[in-house]
């Protein structure tokens, strides 16, 4: 039976591109969560005024990949120590965040965050919050990297993250 994870690690194009390659992840959707405005648009989220984060909603088979595995990948492919930013992407919509679906996911997330605190040189600022309504992003954001690999942001920001994932987690590739 599939489980759900919702993770925000900066621009959703980066996060989505990595998780599409993870064995056991059966569905990846880019979207928005964590804010107050219902059905926000990309343009509205980009203002930083909706309170939403850019996130990916993952459906995964826990027999093939655990929530813990997904979080270990998450903490490898983005910097969880920068508040409301990833590289040149700045704003609350780019915050590092885990929106847990159950008390079990919350406990696992707290444990992984504590373990990762020893890996990073600065404090982890990842937001840990209960799942909130998820709003799927516009169709043109779905599978963005695969459709636009030579676009500047994809070539210089997304591609290196995907390459790092492939090198670090070769055993978890589809």
């Amino acid at each position: 039976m599939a489980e759900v994870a919702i993770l925000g690690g900066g621009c959703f194009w980066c996060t989505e591109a990595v998780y599409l390659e993870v064995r056991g992840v059966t569905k990846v959707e880019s979207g928005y969560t964590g804010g107050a405005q219902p059905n926000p648009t990309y343009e509205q989220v980009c203002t930083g005024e909706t309170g939403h984060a850019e996130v990916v909603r993952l459906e995964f088979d826990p027999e093939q990949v655990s929530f813990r595995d997904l979080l270990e990948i998450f903490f490898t492919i983005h910097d969880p120590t920068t508040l409301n930013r990833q590289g040149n992407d700045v704003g609350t919509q780019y915050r590092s965040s885990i929106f847990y679906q159950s008390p079990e996911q919350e406990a696992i997330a707290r444990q992984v965050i504590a373990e990762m605190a020893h890996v990073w040189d600065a404090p982890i600022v990842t937001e840990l919050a209960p799942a909130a309504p998820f709003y799927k992003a516009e169709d043109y954001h779905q599978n963005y990297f695969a459709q636009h690999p030579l676009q500047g942001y994809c070539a210089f920001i997304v591609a290196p993250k995907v390459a790092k994932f492939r090198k670090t987690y070769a055993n978890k590739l589809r």
Side-chain angles (χ1 to χ4, degrees), residues 6-148:
I6 298 178
L7 307 172
C11 175
F12 48 33
W13 298 342
C14 297
T15 316
E16 176 196 61
V18 167
Y19 284 108
L20 282 169
E21 297 197 2
V22 176
R23 185 177 56 251
V25 173
T26 56
K27 185 175 184 181
V28 181
E29 290 180 317
S30 290
Y32 319 107
T33 195
Q37 183 173 335
N39 299 305
T41 65
Y42 179 68
E43 289 74 20
Q44 291 169 329
V45 172
C46 283
T47 69
E49 295 175 10
T50 65
H52 288 292
E54 286 192 17
V55 297
V56 290
R57 181 184 182 278
L58 311 174
E59 291 183 14
F60 65 99
D61 177 353
E63 298 289 321
Q64 295 184 53
V65 63
S66 69
F67 182 65
R68 169 181 276 283
D69 290 337
L70 296 175
L71 292 183
E72 288 174 0
I73 293 166
F74 174 72
F75 283 108
T76 301
I77 61 170
H78 86 293
D79 182 348
T81 69
T82 53
L83 186 62
N84 298 328
R85 80 175 301 147
Q86 286 296 303
N88 291 329
D89 293 332
V90 179
T92 57
Q93 68 270 29
Y94 300 116
R95 67 189 181 268
S96 175
S97 49
I98 301 168
F99 293 91
Y100 55 85
Q101 308 294 309
S102 66
E104 179 183 68
Q105 278 192 358
E106 179 185 15
I108 292 167
R110 288 188 186 283
Q111 186 176 37
V112 172
I113 289 170
E115 292 166 7
M116 290 294 153
H118 302 291
V119 174
W120 290 90
D121 292 335
I124 290 177
V125 295
T126 302
E127 171 188 21
L128 185 57
F134 171 82
Y135 303 100
K136 185 177 175 184
E138 296 81 352
D139 287 345
Y140 71 92
H141 288 298
Q142 308 304 321
N143 206 19
Y144 193 87
F145 176 63
Q147 295 179 39
H148 307 281

